[in-house]
Amino acid sequence: MPISRASHLSRRGLLAAGGAIGLGAALAACGDDDKKKGDSQKAADPGKSGPWSFKDDRGKAVETKSTPKTIVAFTGTAAALHDYGVEVKAVFGPTKTKDGKPDVQAGDLDINKVEILGNVWGEFNVEKYAALGADLLVTDMWEKDALWYVPDNSKDKILKLAPSVALWAAQISMPAALQRRADLAAALGADLKAAKFTKAKARFEKAAARLRAATKANPGVTVMIGSASADLFYVSAAKTSADTAYFQELGVKFVEPKVNAQGFFEELSWENVGKYKADVIMMDNRSTALQPDALKSKPTWTGLPAVKAGQITPRTTEPIYSYDKCTPILETLAKAIETAKKVA
């Protein structure tokens, strides 16, 4: 689950910026990009008239006089909606890196064409949000009724300005998380029967079958879910996050840490990073986490059997829940397990 490194953060903040909850290769060749984007633009027609309603994962029935057109969303959720052809006006959450490039959580969003209301944890420009006249706010939910990247200190003001939809990113399995984003996209006008989407789902199912086969062909391979900061190494429990819960269902054997009170991860000092034996380490790919190249100066890291064997694979800690984006995540992990040697 996501984790924060900053001080004086709320419980949700501790889950946000760094974390311990893989990165996929791009699905399509460059020559297909323009066509895909064109199809995406045509897929949804959010301008339908008449009442609109959607029941979110809080059990809340959200109702508006017409299909929302001015949508504001958490970056990763906005990227998933974009893959279904539903565009948003503004985003909040990790969108742009320090060098101005799209954050990994932005997916295929054109970050120069959306208003960025906040780019880091705790940042949300309420004045800009109010000026947009939003019809709908959409975000993830890692804890019941807690809206992801909506700051606690301004939450009440934000939620008064427009109806909100929250969708689980934990406590469920990846297929369910995918279905819920698809449900919302369909409610906003996406045609899920279009060939673009049915083919993407078929590729996802093929990738899932490959991962299941990989775990059967190479039994006993143990995977550790890790995330690194300067002072701590976080080991996540697989069952609590939608992606890794699904990988576990497909047969992946994970390290089971002694999680803290939150139930998502265990914090280890770098002196104790070798506490668990693993053949493969999945490392948090977010810009808020230290990447493997930055850990070469830590002898306890370089001494791990999986590191020595080069059996490190990226993990998309906060997946973009569209079939297009989740397929390469499955493929990447399948390849890591297919080629892994037992070294723990």
Side-chain angles (χ1 to χ4, degrees):
M1 172 153 195
I3 306 167
S4 171
R5 317 282 192 234
S7 60
H8 307 297
L9 290 182
S10 66
R11 180 180 175 186
R12 284 191 300 129
L14 182 63
L15 305 171
I21 332 187
L23 185 84
L27 265 179
C30 293
D32 293 333
D33 286 348
D34 290 341
K35 183 179 184 300
K36 284 177 67 179
K37 289 178 181 178
D39 290 344
S40 175
Q41 296 291 335
K42 296 175 184 177
D45 176 15
K48 293 188 298 181
S49 60
W52 182 87
S53 65
F54 183 83
K55 188 173 183 179
D56 77 353
D57 290 351
R58 295 170 295 183
K60 181 179 179 180
V62 181
E63 299 179 349
T64 60
K65 293 181 179 180
S66 61
T67 304
K69 292 184 286 186
T70 304
I71 304 168
V72 175
F74 168 67
T75 304
T77 312
L81 291 174
H82 170 83
D83 285 352
Y84 288 111
V86 178
E87 303 300 339
V88 305
K89 296 292 185 181
V91 297
F92 54 95
T95 306
K96 185 181 293 188
T97 61
K98 292 180 180 178
D99 58 3
K101 295 180 180 179
D103 189 275
V104 66
Q105 294 187 62
D108 292 335
L109 285 176
D110 186 338
I111 63 172
N112 296 311
K113 291 186 177 180
V114 292
E115 183 85 47
I116 301 175
L117 301 178
N119 198 55
V120 297
W121 181 260
E123 183 179 88
F124 192 114
N125 192 314
V126 181
E127 290 73 22
K128 285 186 178 180
Y129 178 57
L132 286 169
D135 299 320
L136 185 69
L137 181 143
V138 186
T139 191
D140 290 348
M141 185 168 60
W142 288 86
E143 296 176 290
K144 182 65 175 175
D145 297 329
L147 302 188
W148 195 233
Y149 270 83
V150 176
D152 289 332
N153 60 3
S154 55
K155 175 181 64 178
D156 292 343
K157 291 180 181 179
I158 293 167
L159 296 183
K160 286 179 181 178
L161 293 171
S164 61
V165 164
L167 300 176
W168 276 118
Q171 322 278 340
I172 59 174
S173 185
M174 180 179 269
L178 282 163
Q179 185 61 55
R180 292 298 286 146
R181 275 71 178 173
D183 290 343
L184 177 59
L188 292 169
D191 178 10
L192 300 186
K193 294 181 180 179
K196 170 185 173 68
F197 306 128
T198 58
K199 289 179 180 178
K201 186 174 183 180
R203 290 195 299 268
F204 173 83
E205 292 169 349
K206 182 178 179 180
R210 177 184 171 183
L211 179 55
R212 187 186 295 278
T215 64
K216 290 181 179 179
N218 202 357
V221 170
T222 302
V223 179
M224 181 164 64
I225 309 165
S227 182
S229 73
D231 299 320
L232 294 171
F233 184 79
Y234 302 87
V235 181
S236 277
K239 63 182 181 180
T240 49
S241 300
D243 59 333
T244 48
Y246 185 49
F247 304 156
Q248 199 167 43
E249 291 172 13
L250 294 174
V252 178
K253 180 182 178 182
F254 286 104
V255 163
E256 297 184 5
K258 294 181 179 179
V259 296
N260 60 19
Q262 295 177 22
F264 287 92
F265 52 81
E266 178 181 0
E267 304 99 326
L268 297 176
S269 66
W270 282 104
E271 290 78 8
N272 296 313
V273 74
K275 179 178 179 179
Y276 297 107
K277 306 300 182 184
D279 303 296
V280 175
I281 304 177
M282 295 178 69
M283 288 294 287
D284 186 350
N285 75 327
R286 292 175 297 172
S287 57
T288 48
L290 293 180
Q291 299 306 304
D293 284 348
L295 304 176
K296 293 179 179 178
S297 63
K298 295 184 179 295
T300 52
W301 166 259
T302 57
L304 294 175
V307 176
K308 287 182 177 179
Q311 295 182 171
I312 309 299
T313 190
R315 181 192 178 208
T316 304
T317 303
E318 293 184 57
I320 294 168
Y321 283 112
S322 71
Y323 292 105
D324 185 66
K325 295 299 183 294
C326 286
T327 295
I329 295 173
L330 292 170
E331 292 172 338
T332 297
L333 182 55
K335 182 178 180 180
I337 292 176
E338 288 165 352
T339 58
K341 297 177 181 179
K342 297 174 188 176
V343 297

